[in-house]
Structures are given as C-alpha cells and as structure tokens.
Amino acid sequence: MTSDSRAQDILSRQAELESERSQYEAVWEAVSEFCDPDAPDFWSSRRQSGAGSQVERQERRGARVYANTINSAANRLAAGLESLIIPQSEKWHGLSTAAVNDEETDEEKEWAEALRDFLFALRYSANSNFVPATQACLRNVVRYGPAYLYAEEGFGGALIRYASIPVVEGFLSRNRWGQVDIFHRRYERTARQAAQLLGYEKLPARIKMLVDDPAKCETKISLIQCIQPRDERKMYRLGGSYQYLDTAFASYHVIEDEEVIVRESGFRSFPVSCFNWRRYEGDPYGISPTIEALTTVREENAVRRSGLRALQQITDPATASKARLDYVPVLNPGENYPGLIDDQGRPLIAPIATGQNPTYAFNYAESRAEQIRDMMFVNLFQTLVQNPQMTATEALIRQEEKGALLGPSGSIIQAGFASNLDRELGILEDKGLYDEDSRFLPPASLAGKAVRPTFTGPLDVLRRSAEARDTIQVVTTAMQMAQFDPGVMDNIDGDEALKIVQSAGRSPQRIFRRKDEVAGIRDARAKAQTAQAGMAAIANAGKVAKDAVPAAVQARDSGLLDDLQGMLQGGQAGPDMPGGPAAPGAGV
C-alpha cells in the first residue's frame, strides 16, 4: 500500500497541532498529579518509563502528593455542574423554532415538546452511554479546561451512542469565529482492535501480519482520525432547490507509521462537541478552575508536607548517643533494651528535641484548603451545611448567588450541548425523523425554520427566577390594592404575567390550552354574561311592571286618576269650556 499525499498532509498538520498543544501539557500533567491521582499516566514525560500498574502509579504519586483537597473539590464541582446544567431527573432543555419577529404557534410548541421527550428517551437509554460520557466531560472541564463529547450513529437498541474523548487524545483548530472545525484524535489500539474498527481488508500488509499472528495481535499501533471541512462539495438539484450530495465534514483514519488512509467517511454535522470552562480570544484550549487554583494547591501541598515532617519529629524523633554504639535499636513501646543506660542510670540514647510545632503548618494548610474550596465553588453547594439555621430569604439569596457565579461558565458548557443537539438531530434526520410516515413530521408552518435548544435546567431557572419573582410580587401587590381601588387591576395584563412565570420554570406546554381554545372559552363566557345581563334586565322590568299594576288600581279607586285626567284636560280647554280660563273683560 503506497503512501497517500492526503495522509502526509494530515500527519504534517498533526505535528503542528502537537507543537501548539505542548505548551499546555506541562500544566495538565501537574493537574493530573495533584487533582487526578488515580488516572493512568498519559503524558510524554511518564510514558517513557512505562505506564505501570495502578498500585505503582498510586505509590509514586503518594510520595509527592500530601493533600487531597483539590481532587475532592473538583469532583464536587463536576457533580454540582451536572445537577445545575444537565440533571438526570429533569428535562434540562426544550426546543424552539421561532425565527426573528416570529412567535411559535401552539401546534409548533407541542411538536417541539414531543421531539424533546423523544431525545431524552434516547439519551438516557441503557445502551447510549450518555451519562458516563457527559460526566467524564464535566470532570475534564473542571480539571483541564477542554472536553470532547463524540456522538456516533448507532443501530439496534441505541440510535445514538456517546463517548468522551480523553483530553490527551484531542488536538483541535478553530475557525475565524472561534468554533472548532478541525479535530484530530491521536490514539492507540491493538492490531486486532484496528481490524475490528477499520476492517481487515483495508489494513496494510504489515498490520495484517500482526493481526494474523496470535503472539503479536495485541501489539499497539498509533492511529489518527482527522475530521475537517470538505474543501469542495458536490451539489444536485431536487424540487427546485440545490442539495448537497457530499457531507459537510470529511473523516480520515490514518495509520501513523504507514502514512496511509485506511478509512474515509463523512458527517453532515460536526461530530465532536467541544466544551470549555473559560477561554480567551486566540486560546484554543482554555483554562479550568483547577489550573487557576494550582499555585494554591502547590502551596498547600508543600506546607502540609512540612507539617507532617514536623509531626514526625515529635512522634518519632531522631536520637543521639554519647558513644558510638554497636547497634541502634528500633525503640518500640513496651520493649526492654539492656545495656542502654550507664552506671549512673542515664540513658545512652536520647531523643533530639528541636521544639517542632506542626500546629502552625496545619493551620496555614487548612486556610489554603479553604481558599481552594472557595476557588472551586464548593461553598456554593454547602449552604445548609455552613448555616443550618439559614432563613428562606437567605437561602434564596445564596441560590441567586450560585446562578450569578456559575452562570458565565455554565453558558459556555451549554454551548457544547447545543452543538451536540445539532449532531443528534442530524443523525436522526438521516434515519427518517422528518419523513412523511414519521410521528415527528413537522407542521407545515415550520417549513424553512431551524430548531434550536432553550435550556431549562436549574441554572437557567436561577437566572430567570428574579423576573418571575418580581412579576408575582407586583401582581400580588395589585390584588391587595384592588380591595380598595378595583381599577388598579386594569394595569395588569394577566396573560403576559403568566407567560413570564411560565418561561422562568419548566412547566410543560401540554398543561396550557391552545390560543384558539382560550379565545373560544372567553367568547362563550362573554356571551353568557351578556345573556345573563339581558335576563336580569327583563326580570327587573317585569318586577317594575308587576309593582305598577296595584298602584294604578288604587289610584283609580280613589279618584286620583280622574282628577289627574281633569287637570290635564283643563290645561288644554278653551275659554268657553268648563274649567277654562276667563275671557278678557269678563265679570267675576
């Protein structure tokens, strides 16, 4: 199998990416030593001496590491981020299809909610590996800064499978918008595993010989997977519009020693979702809270080591003797050592007391440990532990503080999950998610619209809780004032207030009626009220008429009606009529 120029280009770029990443590896190695002591040895400075067993690695690190504060704090922060961003017990994101100056219809909201539930069912199925992969990514974000989640098309029981790519295997390059569009994964597999992954027929002859030899099939070979945008993409015309024939991203598997491409494929969307804790402009990998705390970690480690040495000076002090002894016994409690006192009863061996006091060292180390826990946000997750008597108002303030402090990094992590959602939808679309016979066929109103995530995890609820709380407070105050002035409620738009409260929580769309149903209910209520008012008016008129009949009869019987009628007629009579006015000049 001859060398491929494309493989040489990939290997040349790999060398450049390795050179760029080398400036981070020394820091990552220190993080691994202090914060991840049980992890295998990956970095180049340790790989030369062999990986060794787990016991050997632990003993080697135990000779240098004297404090476990950072490791415990990192695990707590990773678990806290999972509970705030992607809790397993909640639907931590929704789907939105609204475009600019557009509002979703009720039908679109119900469709998006059903698709969201389907996605969560896929992720948390038994064979998807989503939970272990995302937990590993969050641990890597907290410790090293970058993390990589790989989503691959699955078959059978799992439509999508997930894997966390180790930090040591990932090399990346970003485009002008800061997005990762080139990713190299350098990893090792045995020859037998390579045949299973890539196919036996595609392997070079030398690798096939290793696979066929039972004594050598476990030999490790170095592989590089390169994922990059396609420089040229073929198009075809379908239904009056142009569609791409080739996938947007190409994938090449290269055997490093052979300089050949043994597998070529592609992806519609970028398959690797990249996460970061915080990244500066021009910084491809970013930093982590552990890296920020590394100076304090080294300080605590050094002070605690000195404190332990001082403590050993007290519990197991060095000894001195007046004369050179033939042997220096190990002084065990309860033992008798003949010949170690002189004729005057003075011991021939005495401890060397230097006045060591490890208390100061341990107190200072504890202050460093507390600072590390503060830098790792551990105190934010121990509200009730620190103050069991805290009031509800104080606890709410601490919750808002948690959202404010973890919000910026949480948003960066959520950007990685948004990218993973695009990948998931791309895989499912290839499997017929939007086909005519699918239960997820989008409504016709969604033509030309894109689906995007709207995160609804506890961290997002904390961000929006202030608006909802203030809205509820204003409405409650208005209701109290309405007892004295009912016109105050004219200032409140109840529908809009309910939308604000709904958007701040995770209430499902299915508990709300559609707009046309609400309009119909209100129209029927208005008609019923109008009819009721009409009936009341009719009843009132009948009552008036009923009360008027007896009064008229009584007036007739008393002669009042006759007098009234005479008065009316007298007012209209002429001068010659009885009761009329007297003529001018007439006598009295």
Side-chain angles (χ1 to χ4, degrees), residues 172-182 229 249 279 281:
L172 55 86
S173 178
R174 298 179 181 270
N175 59 22
R176 60 177 178 149
W177 296 284
Q179 299 170 331
V180 177
D181 64 342
I182 297 177
F249 297 91
R279 188 179 66 84
E281 190 67 28

Side-chain angles (χ1 to χ4, degrees), residues 22-291:
S22 61
Q23 57 183 321
Y24 297 87
E25 294 183 359
V27 179
W28 291 348
E29 185 173 358
V31 169
S32 176
E33 177 178 336
F34 289 105
C35 186
D36 203 7
D38 298 327
D41 293 329
F42 291 120
W43 312 106
S44 58
S45 60
R46 294 179 181 175
R47 196 182 301 163
Q48 298 173 356
S49 59
S53 65
Q54 180 74 6
V55 176
E56 292 173 345
R57 292 195 299 269
Q58 185 64 32
E59 290 180 352
R60 187 169 65 252
R61 288 194 176 100
R64 299 189 297 269
V65 180
Y66 295 86
N68 196 44
T69 304
I70 186 64
N71 188 26
S72 175
N75 289 332
R76 284 174 177 263
L77 179 55
L81 289 175
E82 181 184 11
S83 67
L84 288 176
I85 299 176
I86 53 169
Q88 299 183 38
S89 59
E90 300 179 14
K91 303 292 177 58
W92 40 267
H93 79 80
L95 296 176
S96 176
T97 58
V100 179
N101 297 326
D102 188 16
E103 185 177 358
E104 290 179 294
T105 65
D106 292 327
E107 183 182 12
E108 293 173 357
K109 291 180 180 179
E110 292 172 1
W111 174 84
E113 191 170 283
L115 179 56
R116 178 207 64 182
D117 294 343
F118 178 66
L119 287 172
F120 274 91
L122 290 181
R123 294 186 189 119
Y124 291 100
S125 63
N127 299 323
S128 70
N129 198 50
F130 179 80
V131 173
T134 52
Q135 288 178 346
C137 285
L138 291 176
R139 288 195 298 269
N140 287 338
V141 165
V142 169
R143 285 176 166 84
Y144 304 104
Y148 316 111
L149 180 64
Y150 180 72
E152 184 178 30
E153 181 180 5
F155 298 94
L159 297 180
I160 305 176
R161 296 183 184 274
Y162 304 86
S164 174
I165 299 177
V167 176
V168 70
E169 296 181 359
F171 301 83
L172 55 86
S173 178
R174 298 179 181 270
N175 59 22
R176 60 177 178 149
W177 296 284
Q179 299 170 331
V180 177
D181 64 342
I182 297 177
F183 187 85
H184 282 207
R185 181 183 183 185
R186 187 183 186 211
Y187 60 104
E188 291 184 345
R189 293 291 185 269
T190 64
R192 182 174 61 88
Q193 292 171 339
Q196 296 171 349
L197 175 66
L198 306 173
Y200 178 83
E201 298 299 330
K202 297 180 180 180
L203 297 177
R206 185 182 69 85
I207 307 301
K208 289 181 179 179
M209 293 176 59
L210 295 177
V211 176
D212 296 335
D213 190 345
K216 298 180 179 179
C217 64
E218 299 299 325
T219 302
K220 294 287 186 69
I221 62 175
S222 179
L223 298 169
I224 296 176
Q225 181 184 9
C226 168
I227 303 172
Q228 64 182 24
R230 290 192 185 276
D231 296 333
E232 297 180 0
R233 298 179 63 187
K234 300 178 182 179
M235 300 180 65
Y236 69 100
R237 189 174 181 85
L238 177 64
S241 62
Y242 286 97
Q243 304 289 335
Y244 284 108
L245 181 63
D246 292 340
T247 53
F249 297 91
S251 174
Y252 305 100
H253 286 265
V254 178
I255 296 181
E256 191 171 1
D257 294 337
E258 301 292 329
E259 297 186 357
V260 292
I261 295 177
V262 292
R263 182 180 178 182
E264 180 178 353
S265 59
F267 303 101
R268 290 185 57 181
S269 56
F270 201 71
V272 180
S273 300
C274 299
F275 301 86
N276 291 98
W277 175 263
R278 188 169 72 247
R279 188 179 66 84
Y280 297 101
E281 190 67 28
D283 181 5
Y285 295 96
I287 61 175
S288 69
T290 302
I291 294 176

Side-chain angles (χ1 to χ4, degrees), residues 484-506:
F484 308 98
D485 183 6
V488 170
M489 296 304 298
D490 297 338
N491 296 284
I492 303 297
D493 187 343
D495 290 344
E496 193 64 27
L498 184 61
K499 289 180 181 179
I500 294 174
V501 176
Q502 178 197 7
S503 64
R506 295 180 291 272

Side-chain angles (χ1 to χ4, degrees), residues 346-366:
R346 293 174 297 186
L348 300 179
I349 296 178
I352 301 176
T354 59
Q356 299 284 352
N357 188 356
T359 304
Y360 299 108
F362 289 145
N363 289 342
Y364 186 79
E366 180 58 31

